[in-house]
Amino acid sequence: MTLFKKIQSLIVQFFDYLEREESIKPIAFFRVNLGIFAIIKIAVLYDYLEDVYGQYGYIQWAISKAGLYNFLPHIGDVVLLINNYFAITASQTLYLMFWVYISFLLMLTVGFLSRLNAIVCFILHLMWVDTGAGFMYGVDVFTQMAFFYLIFMPCGRYFSLDVLLRISRPQLFSKSAGLTRKLVQIQMMLVYCSSGIEKGFGVQWRNGEAMWRSLMLPSFQQFDMSWLSGFPALMYMFGWSIILIELLYPLLMSLPQWRILGLILIILMHLSIGVFLGMWLFAYIMIILSVFAFGYEALKDIRNKLAQGLPKSNPQTHNSIIK
Amino acid sequence: MKTGIRILIVLHFFLVFLTICHLHKYINSPVFIAANDAYSALTYTNRCFGFFAPEVGNDLVIHMTMSNKTKSIPFEIPKDNFEMRTRLYSLTGHFAEDNDQSTMDLFARSWALKCLNQYPDMRKVNVVVLQNNIPSIREYAQGKRITQDTIYTTDVELNENQ
């Protein structure tokens, strides 16, 4: 009975921590950045829309639709629906949906009917991913995940048209802001830690070959990095660095004394993926997610450190910085 | 209401944790499998996130040559965009994901159909998928360079009456 009560008390404490009231500003950061990111993500493929998402693209709709659950959206369904009322081709519908999606993303970015637009963008993004399933990779996974969490956030309560037009009541702190951001924190910790463990199981990551191979793959090669073959120790070191950064992500992000370093390392790691592998969009979404999840705490840590560095004889300045 | 939300959060992370740890493979209940898959297909939260893990494989290159009775021309897959390059890598990754012949045939026919739609005067497409073999650091230092092997080849031809 005592053990049961202890467990119960731990669970209550955990949920009390999760449901603590917190600033809504990181949510606004997340909404704006996710909106801008999603616009860039689809816009860079504008010239290839037919190739990636078209009815007769590299993976035809008949194939991409066949592998889906019935409840999942697909542009083919939209074409069938629209054709009941208007005589437009599949290709025209594709471009129509592109502009419809861009419009909803713009409304989400500026915070107009934010919650509704978050739901619509979640569904529309899923539709693009399902339609171009053959071309799907990590960036789609994390964008969809980000939209999923955004749905539950009070995303229109700060720095939005909703507030300006008085559609939503302005708010600076809320329990749901704290809860949803902590859920993203847990998700990101699980993502990185599991990725670190899986890399740790790979011989290639432990002996540096994975780093070498990533840089040498013709599909990703941005620069001639073959000179690195003369420095195998460097590859070994980079390989282990990636494993450790990912594996220790939960720890780095939980400890205030390590959080700033952890966040910088994660940002540097993803920027390197952008620079050396050309996966800029993947780097961007991962940076958004980590900065959103832990950036607010990291900023607090920086302020605390700055405050500690100030002379103790000037408490007024000290307090103003903490605020 | 509050308890309901807490239960949903626990359920959500239960599915995320099970999948991330690959434990979902050991649960044989059809109801669980269907629910877990559907949740993953919708939210993308309960997936395995080991990108480029445990190993970095060789990348693949698609070559397609179209022909009719009079000529034969190569089909250029456009990849002059950083995002398109990454997505083409993913496409070839999905092509060879399970090393399943029927999946490869399906993808190859789909690519060939794309060529034939774009060039209606062509009748036949030869699809060749090459694999770039990346030498190890030591092998490279000893002079070995990237080589290519053919891992898949097929011809897709229109019927006479098509």
Side-chain angles (χ1 to χ4, degrees), chain A residues 48 51 58 198 204 213 219, chain B residues 22 56 58-59 80 110 114:
Chain A
Y48 306 95
D51 292 343
Y58 287 103
E198 292 203 18
Q204 281 185 3
R213 294 175 68 81
S219 300
Chain B
H22 299 273
V56 179
N58 293 316
D59 61 346
D80 47 344
S110 184
K114 159 85 180 157

Side-chain angles (χ1 to χ4, degrees), chain A residues 58-59 63 134, chain B residues 91-111 129 152 154:
Chain A
Y58 287 103
I59 300 295
I63 299 170
Chain B
L91 179 69
T92 54
H94 292 304
F95 163 81
E97 211 160 35
D98 306 314
N99 213 9
D100 175 38
Q101 192 63 36
S102 58
T103 306
M104 291 185 187
D105 289 341
L106 190 66
F107 271 66
R109 278 201 292 270
S110 184
W111 300 337
V129 181
Y152 179 88
T154 193

Side-chain angles (χ1 to χ4, degrees), chain A residues 124-256:
Chain A
L124 289 180
H125 181 263
L126 191 60
M127 179 194 75
W128 288 107
V129 176
D130 288 340
T131 308
F135 288 88
M136 190 191 85
Y137 75 104
V139 75
D140 300 310
V141 172
F142 285 100
T143 312
Q144 189 60 27
M145 182 195 289
F147 276 126
F148 171 70
Y149 281 111
L150 187 70
I151 288 174
F152 302 100
M153 294 177 188
C155 53
R157 295 293 176 95
Y158 180 78
F159 195 63
S160 67
L161 272 185
D162 286 346
V163 171
L164 206 69
L165 302 173
R166 297 185 182 182
I167 295 168
S168 282
R169 201 164 32 85
Q171 225 177 344
L172 276 179
F173 290 89
S174 93
K175 277 188 180 178
S176 62
L179 173 68
T180 47
R181 199 165 63 84
K182 287 194 185 90
L183 296 184
V184 176
Q185 287 180 350
I186 298 171
Q187 176 82 46
M188 295 312 286
M189 286 179 176
L190 288 169
V191 164
Y192 278 108
C193 191
S194 68
S195 180
I197 292 170
E198 292 203 18
K199 284 186 174 77
F201 278 121
V203 180
Q204 281 185 3
W205 282 98
R206 297 199 305 267
N207 63 17
E209 284 289 337
M211 288 299 295
W212 163 256
R213 294 175 68 81
S214 310
L215 293 168
M216 290 299 286
L217 285 176
S219 300
F220 291 116
Q221 204 169 44
Q222 306 293 310
F223 312 102
D224 179 12
M225 303 298 283
S226 56
W227 55 272
L228 283 167
S229 64
F231 305 93
L234 209 59
M235 296 286 88
Y236 179 83
M237 199 183 78
F238 284 147
W240 271 103
S241 305
I242 300 290
I243 295 174
L244 289 175
I245 292 171
E246 291 196 346
L247 193 65
L248 299 176
Y249 183 91
L251 205 66
L252 288 170
M253 296 302 175
S254 307
L255 301 172

Side-chain angles (χ1 to χ4, degrees), chain A residues 69 71, chain B residues 10-41 46-48:
Chain A
Y69 283 105
F71 65 85
Chain B
V10 170
L11 266 177
H12 167 77
F13 281 110
F14 173 70
L15 292 181
V16 174
F17 188 76
L18 272 186
T19 318
I20 277 178
C21 297
H22 299 273
L23 293 173
H24 64 295
K25 292 171 189 167
Y26 301 101
I27 301 175
N28 291 324
S29 156
V31 177
F32 170 80
I33 293 169
N36 195 43
D37 283 353
Y39 194 65
S40 171
N46 52 327
R47 296 198 159 222
C48 299

